[in-house]
Amino acid sequence: MSPSATRSNPPRVVIIGGGFAGLYCARQLRGAPVQVTLIDRTNHHVFQPLLYQVATGGLSPANIAVPLRGVFRRQKNVTVLLGEVTDFSPAERLVRLADGGAVEYDYLVIAAGMQNFYFGRDEWAPHAPGLKTLDDATEMRRRILSAFEAAEREPIFAEQVKWLTFVVVGAGPTGLELAGTLAEIARDTLRHDFRRINTQKARILLLDGSDRVLPTYVPSLSASAKRQVEALGVEVRLGTMVTGVDPEGVRVRADGVEQLIPAKTVLWGAGVVASPLGRKLAAATGAEVDRAGRVFVGDDCSVAGHPNIFVLGDLAHQIWRADQLVPGVAPAAIQHGSYLARLIRRRIEGRPTPPFRYVDKGSLATIGRAAAVADIAGWRFSGYFAWLAWLLIHIFFLIHFQNRLLVMIQWAWNYFTFARSARLITGRSRDASSPP
Amino acid sequence: MSPSATRSNPPRVVIIGGGFAGLYCARQLRGAPVQVTLIDRTNHHVFQPLLYQVATGGLSPANIAVPLRGVFRRQKNVTVLLGEVTDFSPAERLVRLADGGAVEYDYLVIAAGMQNFYFGRDEWAPHAPGLKTLDDATEMRRRILSAFEAAEREPIFAEQVKWLTFVVVGAGPTGLELAGTLAEIARDTLRHDFRRINTQKARILLLDGSDRVLPTYVPSLSASAKRQVEALGVEVRLGTMVTGVDPEGVRVRADGVEQLIPAKTVLWGAGVVASPLGRKLAAATGAEVDRAGRVFVGDDCSVAGHPNIFVLGDLAHQIWRADQLVPGVAPAAIQHGSYLARLIRRRIEGRPTPPFRYVDKGSLATIGRAAAVADIAGWRFSGYFAWLAWLLIHIFFLIHFQNRLLVMIQWAWNYFTFARSARLITGRSRDASSPP
């Protein structure tokens, strides 16, 4: 008989965050003799790799999100709690919530992820929405579509040009997807929609401070990605530091020269920083955090000195090999979640727990229609086949979403018709200076 | 040769409102020698009969809305303008916009529809959202889903009961659909989703001041609709006047007795009133309006004394037969739109224009899964076959929507699985007193 069977109550596992790490951890605890509480600020899990499709009107929010309660409706050992965690008390083994409540745990799993980071210049945020949540995505969609509408109405040519200039800050995977898809929208989707403006004349700029796009990829793929996104009509400006974002546009410095790029729409794909819960956990446990606010964890994902407190996914600072960290990508978060579920099961059974081993599944970044780069098991390729690989892998991982069939049909429809049927302007503006 | 061929510029048709009447009018002018400007406050046409499905998480906004520019991308004689009309100047033949601009017309078509009406008590609006726009629908969805979440978190039983009480004001078609679908959600969809509350114990009240539901239907169908919605678990309270709506709930008077129904979620399906543009048009043209603000029009839909100004759809007060008006339903709006396009074509060709003849296609109201009432060509029926008729007709009319196939699949999926995959809580609250 296992040690846990002698307890009157099953161990309580509290998971904070319903992203990939938290979701997979809770799912893999199905049938385990534990009581899981999954806490999230929203009522849904978002398939983040497709968030840019919502931001650009290709998919609807419901296509890439599932209600967390729906995921766990039949898994009776999981309770979903919609709430905001504000603090930790390891001495009392409890987590405090914004509404004044508290939840006790035996195992605490923190997978709160990352949020947008404006290099400490939070005043830029209203002018340059990031892309971390569904609300971020519909806000981006509203701004992009409203900019074309404003340009159509604008009688003054110089102002029209500002409305038709889109600046994407950051040439990582998110920035690249956004810039490439924006170019497609301007060139193909909206081509026949307007009467006064020529949407094909829209300017899309992709800025990055580094000397290549996709800086974490091998240089040959960076070069290929740059060629592909430029072929779609995007102006790529590297070695360009952003020094300001305001209603006039983006202020940049390149080669020591300051310049204003006049633009009404700025999209932020640049920085992410750890959830503030990382620093709160560090303060409560004495753990260390890195510059981005990620919490240092051991090879079993636990925090030093607290064998029952774990940090997973993007929020974890964990050594992988030599001087590399486990990267902040969806496959790593999924592996973390599954690993931790196994660890908890083994702990309860009193069996030894092997360390986490990250399996690198390779890297894939999409740029646009039939454009992508791939680095899978040392096999590097780009263009149509990389895009096909990207598509198949993403559809496969949507497998936990009931509506993956719908997404596939929607996608096929969009692909063959160049349509983006979800290009709806909804919701109110977050920023008074943005278009109506 | 037609008279218009001698003109250097084709006549300008300005259509205000992209609802059924405005959309069909513009579509039916395809190929006509006119220049159409379609003005709407939003960038999309909404298939209003399915708005309640968005409000209850069964469909996504993009499933029931199409971007207006997408509809007219290939129809080169139509220009879509995103803007808000503020006034009319018949003397100058122009329409003024909120941004200071103006649009000139030769034919003016006003199809601005109706908006929510709180019996002059606008202070009720923040506590009881109506259902006229996509934003209304996502706001309702947010409140309904957030109420169940708040109930799950609520430690005090009396408060929990308030979160689990939903009041629908108005037992017309909209109120009936909302109440019936809410009952389904509580009874089936969310049944296994929560751990602390039993969603099947949620109370759904449907209030109306009249003595039957669907007051515009024949009494036998009203009785059948009442039985069907009660079978779904809805409490129907007739002869009940609403005297107040506030954060505590709904204050009502029935049989001279005042009562407070404590409820955190109140949905407004009761009153609609004409767009304020009706009264503005009346002031500018000397036309008369009825109590609801609808503009009196002749049998060619024109305003007295202004043969080139027309009012269509819900905004028109037009005699049909004996003492009956053309009803404010989608089929009437569609017929109006098509009629007016024919009228404009004939006017341009110098041919006589016959009067508008409303063809009554019957009435259909849905209540919930396999529950509806129908009154088609004197053939009155209810239950499963009425629901099937409702479904087929609505799918048929979605024919102008590219994604009708997706909607059908989504719907079939929902039907067989009892799922509602679009039950996402997104956006910020319109009202500080509503759930987080």
Side-chain angles (χ1 to χ4, degrees):
Chain A
M1 200 180 238
S2 73
S4 72
T6 60
R7 297 178 62 149
S8 56
N9 285 317
R12 296 156 301 182
V13 178
V14 171
I15 301 174
I16 300 167
F20 284 112
L23 186 84
Y24 275 77
C25 183
R27 299 254 312 180
Q28 302 288 327
L29 285 169
R30 175 189 290 263
V34 293
Q35 240 181 341
V36 179
T37 302
L38 176 62
I39 307 175
D40 199 289
R41 283 189 295 189
T42 74
N43 82 328
H44 46 268
H45 166 75
V46 175
F47 192 78
Q48 288 221 14
L50 295 183
L51 215 40
Y52 82 98
Q53 283 283 350
V54 174
T56 54
L59 294 174
S60 282
N63 292 144
I64 65 152
V66 276
L68 287 169
R69 295 194 185 282
V71 174
F72 296 106
R73 63 191 320 221
R74 301 279 176 195
Q75 190 177 335
K76 291 297 178 198
N77 66 352
V78 175
T79 299
V80 174
L81 193 61
L82 187 65
E84 177 144 14
V85 172
T86 53
D87 217 342
F88 305 96
S89 175
E92 302 162 274
R93 292 197 162 201
L94 59 80
V95 161
R96 294 187 201 286
L97 302 176
D99 67 359
V103 184
E104 289 181 279
Y105 62 81
D106 296 302
Y107 297 91
L108 176 60
V109 180
I110 299 148
M114 307 290 273
Q115 58 189 40
N116 295 312
F117 181 56
Y118 293 89
F119 310 140
R121 303 287 295 271
D122 289 345
E123 69 273 22
W124 297 354
H127 311 297
L131 190 59
K132 295 299 284 178
T133 67
L134 280 186
D135 283 332
D136 283 349
T138 47
E139 172 68 12
M140 260 196 197
R141 182 178 76 180
R142 200 186 58 68
R143 291 195 190 202
I144 292 167
L145 298 172
S146 298
F148 286 104
E149 295 292 342
E152 175 88 348
R153 280 197 306 268
E154 179 59 58
I156 301 164
F157 181 73
E159 290 296 307
Q160 204 179 66
V161 168
K162 286 186 202 169
W163 284 117
L164 289 176
T165 305
F166 299 84
V167 178
V168 179
V169 181
T174 300
L176 204 61
E177 283 164 351
L178 282 172
T181 313
L182 261 174
E184 274 180 32
I185 289 175
R187 204 182 58 175
D188 300 318
T189 311
L190 299 182
R191 186 175 177 177
H192 302 288
D193 277 16
F194 293 85
R195 299 290 177 261
R196 299 179 191 168
I197 57 168
N198 178 354
T199 62
Q200 297 185 298
K201 293 214 170 139
R203 253 182 103 190
I204 293 127
L205 289 96
L206 179 62
L207 312 183
D208 204 292
S210 97
D211 61 351
R212 56 193 177 99
V213 305
L214 296 177
T216 64
Y217 284 58
V218 296
S220 63
L221 288 182
S222 291
S224 168
K226 182 164 178 280
R227 274 195 308 274
Q228 292 183 63
V229 80
E230 282 174 341
L232 287 169
V234 173
E235 283 175 52
V236 180
R237 292 209 196 168
L238 301 172
T240 300
M241 305 296 298
V242 172
T243 59
V245 187
D246 57 43
E248 290 305 303
V250 180
R251 285 160 214 282
V252 296
R253 190 172 53 232
D255 302 324
V257 181
E258 300 263 357
Q259 196 203 346
L260 168 69
I261 303 172
K264 293 283 193 181
T265 311
V266 183
L267 307 178
W268 195 256
V272 284
V273 70
S275 157
L277 288 184
R279 287 187 197 277
K280 283 186 178 163
L281 181 72
T285 60
E288 303 222 19
V289 294
D290 66 13
R291 258 187 49 190
R294 283 181 292 237
V295 183
F296 283 82
V297 295
D299 61 10
D300 66 349
C301 298
S302 74
V303 172
H306 295 268
N308 63 332
I309 300 181
F310 306 88
V311 181
L312 306 186
D314 294 3
L315 191 57
H317 178 113
Q318 188 180 37
I319 303 294
W320 170 27
R321 60 183 181 196
D323 57 342
Q324 277 191 292
L325 298 182
V326 174
V329 294
I334 290 171
Q335 291 175 34
H336 262 166
S338 301
Y339 167 79
L340 206 77
R342 282 198 308 277
L343 179 142
I344 290 172
R345 285 175 187 269
R346 294 178 72 105
R347 280 261 191 100
I348 289 170
E349 292 165 4
R351 295 163 64 198
T353 55
F356 174 69
R357 294 262 173 263
Y358 173 56
V359 181
D360 182 15
K361 298 280 177 72
S363 308
L364 266 170
T366 183
I367 295 153
R369 167 184 299 268
V373 292
D375 183 347
I376 298 170
W379 191 41
R380 288 163 194 155
F381 53 114
S382 48
Y384 187 77
F385 285 101
W387 179 77
L388 213 60
W390 180 88
L391 196 68
L392 292 175
I393 287 170
H394 283 80
I395 285 171
F396 177 79
F397 273 99
L398 269 174
I399 211 149
H400 296 296
F401 289 67
Q402 297 178 327
N403 42 14
R404 65 190 183 281
L405 176 70
L406 285 173
V407 177
M408 282 172 61
I409 295 170
Q410 179 77 59
W411 220 325
W413 178 271
N414 292 354
Y415 183 78
F416 290 112
T417 62
F418 289 82
R420 303 184 80 80
S421 56
R423 50 180 203 281
L424 305 175
I425 300 177
T426 56
R428 282 149 306 152
S429 168
R430 284 190 195 172
D431 166 25
S433 76
S434 70
Chain B
M1 202 181 238
S2 74
S4 71
T6 62
R7 297 178 63 147
S8 55
N9 284 317
R12 295 156 301 183
V13 178
V14 171
I15 302 173
I16 299 168
F20 284 114
L23 187 84
Y24 275 77
C25 183
R27 298 250 315 176
Q28 302 288 326
L29 284 170
R30 176 191 290 262
V34 293
Q35 237 183 342
V36 179
T37 302
L38 176 62
I39 307 176
D40 199 290
R41 284 188 295 189
T42 73
N43 81 328
H44 46 267
H45 166 75
V46 175
F47 192 78
Q48 288 221 15
L50 295 183
L51 216 40
Y52 83 99
Q53 283 283 350
V54 174
T56 54
L59 293 174
S60 283
N63 292 144
I64 65 152
V66 276
L68 287 169
R69 295 194 185 281
V71 174
F72 296 105
R73 62 192 319 224
R74 301 280 177 195
Q75 191 177 333
K76 292 297 178 197
N77 68 350
V78 175
T79 299
V80 175
L81 193 60
L82 187 65
E84 178 144 15
V85 172
T86 53
D87 217 343
F88 305 97
S89 175
E92 301 162 276
R93 292 197 162 201
L94 59 81
V95 161
R96 293 186 203 287
L97 302 177
D99 67 0
V103 185
E104 289 182 276
Y105 63 80
D106 297 302
Y107 297 90
L108 175 60
V109 181
I110 299 150
M114 308 289 273
Q115 58 189 39
N116 296 310
F117 182 57
Y118 293 89
F119 309 140
R121 303 289 296 270
D122 289 343
E123 68 273 22
W124 297 354
H127 311 296
L131 191 59
K132 295 299 283 180
T133 67
L134 280 186
D135 283 332
D136 284 350
T138 48
E139 172 68 13
M140 259 196 196
R141 181 178 78 180
R142 200 187 58 70
R143 290 195 190 203
I144 293 168
L145 297 172
S146 298
F148 286 104
E149 295 292 341
E152 174 88 349
R153 281 197 306 269
E154 179 60 59
I156 301 164
F157 180 73
E159 290 295 309
Q160 203 178 68
V161 169
K162 287 185 202 169
W163 285 117
L164 290 177
T165 304
F166 298 84
V167 179
V168 179
V169 181
T174 300
L176 204 62
E177 284 164 351
L178 281 173
T181 314
L182 260 174
E184 274 180 31
I185 289 175
R187 203 180 59 174
D188 299 318
T189 311
L190 299 182
R191 186 175 179 178
H192 301 288
D193 277 16
F194 293 87
R195 299 292 179 260
R196 300 178 191 168
I197 57 169
N198 178 354
T199 62
Q200 297 186 297
K201 292 211 171 141
R203 253 182 103 190
I204 293 127
L205 290 98
L206 179 63
L207 313 182
D208 204 292
S210 96
D211 61 351
R212 56 193 176 98
V213 304
L214 295 177
T216 63
Y217 283 58
V218 297
S220 64
L221 288 182
S222 290
S224 168
K226 181 165 180 282
R227 275 196 307 275
Q228 291 182 67
V229 78
E230 282 174 343
L232 287 169
V234 173
E235 283 176 51
V236 180
R237 292 208 194 168
L238 300 171
T240 301
M241 304 298 296
V242 172
T243 59
V245 187
D246 57 44
E248 291 304 302
V250 180
R251 286 161 213 282
V252 295
R253 189 172 54 232
D255 302 324
V257 181
E258 299 263 358
Q259 195 202 347
L260 168 69
I261 303 172
K264 294 281 192 182
T265 311
V266 183
L267 307 178
W268 194 257
V272 282
V273 70
S275 156
L277 287 184
R279 287 186 199 275
K280 284 187 179 164
L281 182 71
T285 60
E288 304 221 19
V289 294
D290 66 14
R291 258 189 49 191
R294 283 180 293 237
V295 182
F296 283 82
V297 295
D299 61 10
D300 65 350
C301 298
S302 74
V303 172
H306 295 268
N308 63 332
I309 299 181
F310 305 88
V311 180
L312 306 186
D314 294 3
L315 190 58
H317 178 112
Q318 187 179 36
I319 304 294
W320 169 28
R321 60 183 181 199
D323 58 342
Q324 275 190 295
L325 297 183
V326 175
V329 295
I334 290 171
Q335 291 175 35
H336 262 166
S338 301
Y339 167 78
L340 206 74
R342 280 197 309 276
L343 179 140
I344 289 172
R345 285 174 185 269
R346 294 178 73 104
R347 281 260 191 101
I348 290 170
E349 292 165 4
R351 295 163 62 197
T353 56
F356 174 70
R357 293 263 173 264
Y358 173 57
V359 180
D360 184 13
K361 298 282 177 69
S363 307
L364 266 170
T366 183
I367 295 151
R369 169 183 298 269
V373 293
D375 184 348
I376 297 171
W379 192 39
R380 289 166 191 151
F381 54 113
S382 48
Y384 187 78
F385 286 101
W387 179 77
L388 213 59
W390 180 89
L391 196 68
L392 291 176
I393 287 170
H394 282 79
I395 284 170
F396 176 79
F397 272 99
L398 268 174
I399 211 151
H400 296 296
F401 289 67
Q402 298 179 327
N403 42 13
R404 64 191 185 280
L405 176 71
L406 284 173
V407 177
M408 282 173 63
I409 296 171
Q410 179 77 60
W411 220 324
W413 178 271
N414 291 353
Y415 182 79
F416 290 111
T417 62
F418 289 82
R420 302 183 81 79
S421 56
R423 52 182 203 281
L424 306 175
I425 300 177
T426 57
R428 280 149 308 149
S429 168
R430 283 191 196 173
D431 166 23
S433 74
S434 70

